[in-house]
Amino acid sequence: RLRPRAALMARRPELLCGAAIVLGCALLVALKVTCSRAKDVTMPAKLPVNFFSTRSPVIDLFRGQLDYADQLRQDSEIVLYFFYAPWCGQSIAAREEIEIVASRLSDQVLFVAVNCWWNQGKCRKQKHFFYFPVIHLYHRSFGPIEYKGPMSAVYIEKFVRRVMTPLLYISSRSKLLDFLSNYEPGVVGFFEFNASPQPPGYLTFFTSALHSLKKDYLGTIRFGVVTDKRVAEEISLVHSGSVYLHRHANTSLIYPKDIMNFTAENICKWALENREMLIRWLRPHGGKSLLLNNELKKGPALLIFIPYNPLAEIHPLLDEITKVALEYHKCNKSQAAEPDLQHAGDSDSAALDSSQRDADVQFSETFPIAKYPCCNTVVLPQWHSISRTHNVCELCVNQTLGVKPNKVHVPRCNFLEIEAALDSFYLQEHTFFQVISNTIECSNFFSFYSPFSYYTACCRTVNRHFLSFISSEKTIFQTPKVAFSSHGKKDNTQFSIPHIEDRNCFIPDLNISSTNITGLSCRTNKTLNLYLLDSNLFWIYAERLGASRSTHPKEFAAIVDLKEEVHYVLDQNQSLVGPTLENFIKNFSVLYSPLKRHLVDDPSVPFHEEHVVTEVTTSTFHQTVFLSAKNVLLLYYAQWCGFCASLNHIFIQLARLLPPDSFTVARIDVTRNDLPWEFMTDRLPTILFFPHQRKEQSVKFPEDFSVNLPNLLKFILHHSSLSSSEPCTKECLQKESVLQQGHISHLEREIQKLRSEISALHQAHDQLEAQLSEARREEQRLQQQKHTLEKQHKTLQLHSEQLKATYDQKNQELLEMAEKLQELADASENLLKENALLRILVASRGGKLQSKDEIKEPLQSEQTLSEDNDISLSTATTAAIAALEEKRIDNIDSIETEHSSGNRTE
């Protein structure tokens, strides 16, 4: 059936071309439909694998089978869950630490690791953690207790052991003393086990210890249990079920059963709210946190870095620091409230305290100011701007004039009394000024508010210059006659709110220069908060505070005062022992502290490197500015200051103009270097000039003047040529003339250099003019080329539009041709059907003729009769065949006519 079509297309090539175009369009449409039906393919997650080794004592549920983990927990007393994510770096790092702990405690604790990241596991569906890894501990049915400490084996093992034994059994008086002498708060419960296996309240007390671990992962509160009644009587516990909270610097407490219900939550809450924190451990977790900021905002902080092993049985260095902290916070008002529990070795300290009290009584008899219940140290301003002395006064409120009240009913000092005293004192402060006096002068003046009280002020002068260089081992305010109480601040003390002292602690300490710092926190406005950090984990913080990287052992101490924006560093050449810490604390607590402020230095600038402009750092500031025999011009700048960078070329030119043997031009980056208080600035850029032999009289460049080379030269020459207070001799005049001649010759040389530079600039200007003219000509040529290209572009656009129109027209004609080809194919099929019918008719006629020939002989007689019928039948058949042929030829002619007309149209 395809032969007629192939023959027809061979005779008509345009039909073959149209068919090819139709097939191509159909292929494109089919491809588009196939692409639009394509779906996104997501690769399924890989199956998890073992996170821990198969030989590890940790049970690894790497498919997140949380339900199976709960079944395992039912059969174990202590269970540790380690929830991890296989991709997490912290989880991978903590895996080895968990295995170390499991190898030591696997016979007592069940360790289970659960993959909480696989999306098909129950752990991922039920737990929603914000970080990994997460450690949960269960003590039988109690839990979970989350561990948030360092991911170190020793710390994890210590916490697990605390969960295993939350209560410490105290069987004797010596163990009770050891328990209470620890720096951590201690809670002791007394329960008699003679009546029943578990006396009433014991399980509640046991559960409260677990609650404290759940709320405080550091485990700062230690819980102990006493079963011997004689041991319990040492801490005033008489009845079974009593709970005792021990505190060193404050009164110890007994749980109030009549006010609060005896429940585990209430006991834990009561202990956490009333605990005493003499020393606190800081353990930053390494991420973004406000831990250090919140603690430093509470006041000055003493940060002590020591190597710490939680599993060690003894800590000699920590015990020594604890002793210093206890002495520092031991105020007189709390000594009588504590039970009489002392070791045999404390007899010396008791004798020392008794002798100290005797000295205080003797002192109070010789100096009447010691009888007053309310005192405050006041520093008067300088009487002249050039004076280096201050008048320091001890202002006290005296209410014993006239009728002497009973000692028990003497009211405590309050802010209203001291404020009234300060108001009266400042109104008459001119009467207390002394130029120079080494003795203490006392005077009384009456109050404006009460006729039965008056104020006493004892004043003396103090030399700041002498105090700044005094030895740290001597007392600042110790004189042959009297010692002042040291709880003030620096020059601005008179503007600060007075600190109300305890009436029993205001007497000055006569032996402050020794190692005794007992109760110093109650006698100073600069009370320190003590913090401990493990140098094995957080030594990077010590390095940022000023510790050396090569220090061994890693011991370091620093005082950080966030409010004053200073910090002090303990000399690393000294060993970190109790007396060293005591001296460090005392030197910080005195009015004029001899401690030297630690300044951050920029280590990236070597000192030996020489430039036209000298780069100054914190370590080279004193040597470059003060110890130098030259005039120094110093620029304060910062890396982020854009205007500071624009002054660099000016200072380079200035350094080249000034003679290097008499002047130094320097700069300092204030963002990477700390400066002394008197040289700090809040504006950038700042320019200071330090004249030779008058370095303390530095001059600031006026802010209303523009910073340029002429103004800087005038400013330097004006302040460097000021005459000194001593008359100039002949030698001085000769040196001055030589110096002036040197300046003149130097300036002449600089003028010659400038003239040569000007001529070179003129030549460069001419060359630049020639280059500019050539550039202008090149610009004109490029403009012409641009116009030509624009015209060509427009022509190409028109041609493109014409081609597009022609393309659309041809495309329409091709569509019409495709329709005609379809009609031609339909007509061809009809003709083929008619041709088949004709062949069938011809074949049937041929068969009839053959049969007639076979019967022709026997039917000779009938031939004559049938001839007429045969002739008529053949005539009819011939007529029918002729009619069919004529009809076929007419159809073919009509089709050829249509195609010829189409070709002519095309």
Side-chain angles (χ1 to χ4, degrees):
R1 295 178 58 184
L2 297 178
R3 286 180 180 177
R5 292 185 181 182
L8 183 60
M9 289 182 179
R11 293 194 301 267
R12 303 290 301 274
E14 61 273 8
L15 297 180
L16 184 61
C17 181
I21 293 174
V22 171
L23 291 175
C25 294
L27 181 62
L28 290 175
V29 171
L31 183 61
K32 183 177 180 181
V33 172
T34 304
C35 293
S36 63
R37 293 180 180 178
K39 297 181 179 180
D40 296 333
V41 178
T42 303
M43 183 178 180
K46 295 181 180 179
L47 293 177
V49 295
N50 286 322
F51 189 69
F52 286 85
S53 174
T54 55
R55 295 174 294 178
S56 174
V58 181
I59 300 175
D60 189 6
L61 304 179
F62 57 90
R63 293 182 182 270
Q65 304 99 311
L66 193 60
D67 51 352
Y68 182 62
D70 293 336
Q71 294 178 6
L72 294 175
R73 184 165 62 88
Q74 303 300 327
D75 301 331
S76 302
E77 183 178 2
I78 308 295
V79 180
L80 183 144
Y81 282 173
F82 179 73
F83 299 102
Y84 66 89
W87 54 264
C88 176
Q90 286 82 0
S91 300
I92 297 173
R95 174 175 54 188
E96 183 178 357
E97 306 296 329
I98 293 295
E99 288 184 342
I100 295 174
V101 179
S103 62
R104 297 175 181 175
L105 302 177
S106 59
D107 56 340
Q108 306 175 59
V109 181
L110 177 64
F111 290 84
V112 181
V114 183
N115 182 1
C116 225
W117 184 254
W118 192 46
N119 56 355
Q120 300 297 329
K122 286 191 175 182
C123 183
R124 177 69 180 273
K125 297 177 180 178
Q126 297 180 8
K127 302 288 185 179
H128 303 282
F129 296 119
F130 296 98
Y131 56 89
F132 288 102
V134 178
I135 297 178
H136 286 175
L137 284 99
Y138 289 86
H139 190 287
R140 294 182 179 174
S141 60
F142 185 87
I145 303 173
E146 184 176 357
Y147 172 74
K148 298 180 181 179
M151 289 298 169
S152 177
V154 290
Y155 281 93
I156 297 174
E157 183 177 351
K158 178 67 174 179
F159 189 78
V160 173
R161 291 185 181 275
R162 289 289 291 269
V163 175
M164 292 168 58
T165 56
L167 296 181
L168 179 64
Y169 176 58
I170 303 173
S171 59
S172 62
R173 186 176 182 272
S174 60
K175 290 186 177 180
L176 178 62
L177 291 175
D178 292 336
F179 182 83
L180 298 181
S181 63
N182 195 284
Y183 69 96
E184 294 179 339
V187 179
V188 181
F190 170 50
F191 299 94
E192 289 184 310
F193 282 81
N194 53 5
S196 62
Q198 292 181 352
Y202 175 75
L203 290 180
T204 303
F205 185 69
F206 185 88
T207 308
S208 66
L210 294 176
H211 271 286
S212 69
L213 292 174
K214 185 176 182 180
K215 295 182 179 180
D216 184 12
Y217 70 94
L218 295 176
T220 55
I221 300 181
R222 303 162 68 246
F223 283 77
V225 59
V226 176
T227 59
D228 190 349
K229 188 174 183 179
R230 291 176 298 177
V231 178
E233 288 176 353
E234 297 288 342
I235 52 177
S236 304
L237 295 181
V238 180
H239 303 287
S240 177
S242 302
V243 179
Y244 170 83
L245 174 62
H246 179 70
R247 300 192 296 184
H248 295 278
N250 294 287
T251 305
S252 300
L253 303 176
I254 296 179
Y255 184 78
K257 290 184 178 180
D258 53 344
I259 300 176
M260 302 175 65
N261 294 330
F262 195 79
T263 61
E265 293 81 1
N266 288 343
I267 295 174
C268 178
K269 181 180 178 182
W270 171 76
L272 290 174
E273 290 179 353
N274 296 282
R275 62 180 173 177
E276 182 183 63
M277 300 293 294
L278 301 181
I279 307 178
R280 181 177 177 183
W281 281 97
L282 294 180
R283 296 192 178 106
H285 56 74
K288 290 184 178 180
S289 173
L290 295 177
L291 175 64
L292 291 177
N293 181 64
N294 293 337
E295 296 298 329
L296 294 178
K297 285 195 301 186
K298 296 177 181 179
L302 173 59
L303 304 178
I304 304 175
F305 295 82
I306 59 173
Y308 180 69
N309 183 11
L311 299 178
E313 295 182 358
I314 57 173
H315 302 90
L317 182 57
L318 181 58
D319 295 339
E320 200 164 356
I321 296 172
T322 302
K323 185 178 180 181
V324 173
L326 292 176
E327 291 294 326
Y328 181 68
H329 289 282
K330 185 184 293 183
C331 299
N332 293 336
K333 64 181 181 180
S334 63
Q335 290 175 355
E338 294 299 320
D340 188 13
L341 293 174
Q342 293 182 353
H343 291 281
D346 295 341
S347 59
D348 298 338
S349 62
L352 181 62
D353 294 340
S354 62
S355 62
Q356 181 64 34
R357 287 193 295 270
D358 295 339
D360 292 341
V361 172
Q362 182 180 1
F363 174 74
S364 63
E365 293 177 355
T366 58
F367 192 51
I369 197 174
K371 300 183 297 181
Y372 306 147
C374 184
C375 296
N376 192 75
T377 302
V378 182
V379 180
L380 293 176
Q382 296 171 322
W383 68 275
H384 194 272
S385 59
I386 65 173
S387 175
R388 298 189 184 180
T389 61
H390 280 282
N391 289 278
V392 181
C393 299
E394 188 81 358
L395 177 64
C396 295
V397 179
N398 186 2
Q399 297 179 340
T400 61
L401 184 64
V403 181
K404 184 175 181 180
N406 193 342
K407 183 178 180 181
V408 178
H409 297 89
V410 172
R412 293 188 63 186
C413 179
N414 55 51
F415 280 102
L416 296 178
E417 292 180 0
I418 197 66
E419 186 177 3
L422 288 173
D423 291 340
S424 302
F425 177 78
Y426 285 131
L427 289 175
Q428 305 180 34
E429 65 179 359
H430 61 278
T431 61
F432 301 100
F433 277 121
Q434 304 178 50
V435 179
I436 296 177
S437 176
N438 293 326
T439 61
I440 298 176
E441 298 183 6
C442 298
S443 59
N444 300 327
F445 57 96
F446 289 96
S447 170
F448 295 104
Y449 303 99
S450 175
F452 300 103
S453 63
Y454 65 95
Y455 307 131
T456 301
C458 297
C459 305
R460 64 162 294 183
T461 57
V462 179
N463 193 323
R464 289 186 58 195
H465 180 72
F466 173 76
L467 287 176
S468 61
F469 293 99
I470 196 168
S471 174
S472 62
E473 297 180 355
K474 296 183 178 181
T475 307
I476 300 302
F477 293 101
Q478 186 173 355
T479 64
K481 293 184 178 181
V482 66
F484 277 72
S485 63
S486 55
H487 54 269
K489 288 188 177 182
K490 294 187 178 181
D491 298 349
N492 58 351
T493 308
Q494 63 271 20
F495 301 105
S496 61
I497 299 176
H499 179 70
I500 306 303
E501 312 294 343
D502 189 350
R503 59 168 300 182
N504 293 326
C505 302
F506 81 96
I507 300 175
D509 194 352
L510 291 176
N511 198 24
I512 195 172
S513 61
S514 65
T515 58
N516 181 20
I517 61 169
T518 304
L520 184 58
S521 64
C522 304
R523 296 183 283 112
T524 177
N525 264 355
K526 302 162 71 175
T527 304
L528 284 169
N529 299 317
L530 276 62
Y531 298 97
L532 292 173
L533 292 95
D534 189 355
S535 59
N536 295 326
L537 301 176
F538 310 110
W539 187 247
I540 184 174
Y541 296 97
E543 291 180 356
R544 293 179 180 177
L545 289 173
S548 176
R549 295 184 178 180
S550 59
T551 302
H552 186 77
K554 291 185 177 181
E555 298 174 357
F556 179 73
I559 295 176
V560 179
D561 192 345
L562 196 62
K563 182 179 179 181
E564 300 294 337
E565 297 184 357
V566 295
H567 80 277
Y568 307 96
V569 174
L570 182 64
D571 188 6
Q572 298 186 54
N573 296 325
Q574 301 180 10
S575 58
L576 189 64
V577 292
T580 306
L581 282 177
E582 290 179 356
N583 290 331
F584 191 44
I585 295 173
K586 287 190 301 180
N587 290 334
F588 173 78
S589 302
V590 297
L591 180 61
Y592 290 98
S593 175
L595 296 178
K596 184 179 179 182
R597 178 193 178 199
H598 183 78
L599 303 176
V600 178
D601 195 5
D602 185 6
S604 62
V605 180
F607 176 68
H608 63 274
E609 188 176 358
E610 296 183 359
H611 296 283
V612 177
V613 178
T614 305
E615 189 73 25
V616 180
T617 62
T618 302
S619 58
T620 61
F621 180 83
H622 190 73
Q623 182 175 359
T624 305
V625 176
F626 288 99
L627 300 182
S628 175
K630 304 177 183 179
N631 300 306
V632 180
L633 183 70
L634 183 63
L635 169 67
Y636 291 7
Y637 77 99
Q639 295 291 340
W640 48 263
C641 177
F643 185 66
C644 301
S646 64
L647 301 179
N648 290 337
H649 70 284
I650 298 177
F651 274 78
I652 292 174
Q653 293 180 6
L654 182 64
R656 290 174 177 173
L657 287 175
L658 297 175
D661 55 346
S662 302
F663 290 90
T664 298
V665 179
R667 66 174 190 169
I668 184 170
D669 187 353
V670 296
T671 59
R672 306 184 67 178
N673 298 274
D674 287 339
L675 293 174
W677 283 105
E678 57 270 21
F679 299 108
M680 293 187 67
T681 180
D682 56 352
R683 181 186 176 120
L684 293 178
T686 298
I687 302 173
L688 291 180
F689 180 70
F690 297 86
H692 175 48
Q693 295 181 351
R694 295 187 305 277
K695 294 297 179 68
E696 68 279 359
Q697 300 179 8
S698 60
V699 186
K700 183 179 179 181
F701 187 80
E703 297 179 357
D704 52 347
F705 284 13
S706 60
V707 183
N708 52 42
L709 190 60
N711 289 342
L712 286 175
L713 282 173
K714 292 177 183 179
F715 171 73
I716 293 172
L717 294 177
H718 173 70
H719 292 285
S720 62
S721 61
L722 292 177
S723 60
S724 61
S725 57
E726 300 179 356
C728 189
T729 60
K730 292 183 178 179
E731 295 180 357
C732 176
L733 293 175
Q734 291 178 358
K735 291 182 179 178
E736 186 69 22
S737 62
V738 172
L739 182 61
Q740 294 293 339
Q741 290 294 332
H743 287 176
I744 292 171
S745 60
H746 181 74
L747 290 176
E748 287 179 352
R749 290 194 299 270
E750 293 297 330
I751 289 172
Q752 285 296 120
K753 292 181 181 178
L754 289 175
R755 287 177 178 174
S756 61
E757 291 179 359
I758 290 171
S759 61
L761 288 175
H762 281 301
Q763 295 177 0
H765 180 266
D766 296 338
Q767 295 177 0
L768 184 60
E769 286 292 339
Q771 292 177 0
L772 286 175
S773 61
E774 182 67 23
R776 292 192 188 96
R777 290 192 296 269
E778 185 68 19
E779 183 182 3
Q780 292 177 358
R781 186 178 62 81
L782 292 175
Q783 287 290 342
Q784 294 177 358
Q785 292 181 357
K786 180 182 176 181
H787 292 313
T788 303
L789 292 174
E790 287 178 352
K791 292 180 180 179
Q792 293 178 358
H793 180 67
K794 291 180 180 179
T795 305
L796 290 174
Q797 283 184 343
L798 293 175
H799 187 60
S800 175
E801 292 176 356
Q802 293 176 359
L803 289 176
K804 186 176 180 180
T806 305
Y807 171 77
D808 295 338
Q809 182 180 358
K810 295 297 182 182
N811 192 17
Q812 185 66 27
E813 292 178 357
L814 286 174
L815 293 176
E816 294 176 356
M817 183 63 67
E819 294 177 356
K820 292 179 180 180
L821 286 173
Q822 186 63 33
E823 294 177 357
L824 179 61
D826 296 339
S828 299
E829 289 181 358
N830 294 330
L831 291 175
L832 289 173
K833 293 179 181 179
E834 293 175 357
N835 190 15
L837 291 174
L838 289 175
R839 288 181 178 178
I840 292 171
L841 291 174
V842 170
S844 62
R845 182 59 180 169
K848 290 179 180 181
L849 292 175
Q850 186 177 0
S851 60
K852 287 181 179 181
D853 292 336
E854 291 177 355
I855 61 175
K856 185 176 180 181
E857 295 177 358
L859 297 177
Q860 289 289 335
S861 59
E862 298 178 2
Q863 183 176 7
T864 305
L865 296 175
S866 60
E867 283 180 0
D868 295 335
N869 294 331
D870 292 338
I871 292 170
S872 59
L873 181 61
S874 62
T875 303
T877 302
T878 304
I881 293 172
L884 289 174
E885 287 292 335
E886 185 177 358
K887 185 177 180 180
R888 178 182 176 185
I889 292 170
D890 292 339
N891 289 334
I892 293 173
D893 293 338
S894 62
I895 291 172
E896 290 180 353
T897 304
E898 290 177 359
H899 280 289
S900 61
S901 61
N903 290 335
R904 286 194 301 270
T905 304
E906 185 178 358

